[in-house]
Amino acid sequence: MAKGKKIQLSFRARRDKETGTEVLRLTPPHIICHRNYFYQKCFSQDGQRLIFGGAFEGHWNYYSLDLEKQIATQLTEGEGDNTFGGFLSADDRSLWYVKNTRELRRVDLDSLEEYVVYEVDDEWVAYGTWVANSDCSQLVGIEIKKSDWSPLTDWQKFRDFYFTNPECRLIRVDLHTGKQQTILQEKRWLGHPIYRPFDDNTIAFCHEGPRDAIDARMWLINQDGSHVRNVRQHSEGESFTHEFWVPDGSALYYVAHKEGDAHRYLCSADPQTLENRQLRTIPPCSHLMSNHDGSLVVGDGAPHKTGNIDLNDPFIWVFDLKKGTQKAVCQHNTSWKVLDGDRQVTHPHPSFSPDNQWVLYTSDEEGMPALYLARV
């Protein structure tokens, strides 16, 4: 049995050639390792441990990494782990994750005992990232009708899937009882469900699909399925991506793109009034995440097209919204390739450590995807 197996890692420190920043590579470059999705909790509250996905067994499982001892402990075993969507519980005592697109499981981090808390109905499959509320008592997720679902192993399949209008439902699961309720069900591709922190009545979700095809991406809904509202309507040639809640619940942040415009814009929406504000112009980052109060934001520079030129921004950026400054922390130099039929595994997905001193990200710049910490 592989669960509980301990792997001694040896971190590698270097200085970034462009910025001089201290960068630590945490995992070996010959085995695929990646972090979880950027708004899912991966660090323990004290910042001493983090969870990640690793293919040490030939398939992806979850590991807990003791940053002081540099030891990774295997938490799950067997194939079928969704190693992007998992998260640590609010009290740091459990890992939650979805297995085989069917089972929502909880792993006790002390005993490594595993419990199936909720099982997806036979007619449906679990899709995307499932997100808990602040105290880890409820969770929201998306399920897709099994007859409508197909694996989205590359970006063309992602695009094509949108036009099939799959039947989707936004669900809520009670994490104590495993009881499920459907909040919204539509013949439309839904994604990205996120509880507003410290406000269980407000859930954000998106109309998923290619940026140029969807009607409007970002939506809010009450927990009982009432009061569906559009966060911001697109104007011609405009699109919004990668919305996330500031962890204190104060605002929904997102990125705005305009066709033919070389810049991207960090924006915020007020969850009560739906007033939208442009916070600053930013380099072409793919994913953004903030610190607890939204005063610092980290982003991963990405390939982008302006006119006919293909450009690649290789930097991890940190934006200080109070000071109005931006800083290139280091080069992530990831390839953004689809690897092993996965569209996400080479994406940096950066976020801050709990003390805001480090940024965690994934990159394949030294071979296979690995975890890195860069000092802010």
Side-chain angles (χ1 to χ4, degrees), residues 63 80 88 106 116 155 214 222 247 264 280 349:
Y63 292 80
L88 276 177
R106 180 174 75 80
V116 177
W155 289 108
I214 48 179
N222 289 1
R264 298 189 190 188
R280 64 168 296 129
H349 291 149

Side-chain angles (χ1 to χ4, degrees), residues 6 37 79 81 107 116 125 148 173 198 226 230 249 251 265 301 315:
K6 297 206 181 299
Y37 213 47
E79 295 181 18
D81 293 5
V107 181
V116 177
V125 296
D148 290 356
V173 178
F198 311 108
S226 65
N230 181 353
Y265 303 92
F315 289 102

Side-chain angles (χ1 to χ4, degrees), residues 140 170-172 181-184 194-196 199-205 219-230 245 271-272 274:
V140 281
L170 168 63
I171 60 155
R172 165 164 79 108
Q181 278 180 304
T182 297
I183 299 171
L184 178 70
I194 342 175
Y195 263 110
R196 182 186 175 200
D199 169 18
D200 291 354
N201 195 38
T202 305
I203 296 158
F205 68 99
W219 299 78
L220 301 183
I221 190 170
N222 289 1
Q223 188 169 243
D224 64 2
S226 65
H227 196 32
V228 180
R229 55 238 189 244
N230 181 353
W245 289 109
Q272 249 84 47
L274 293 186

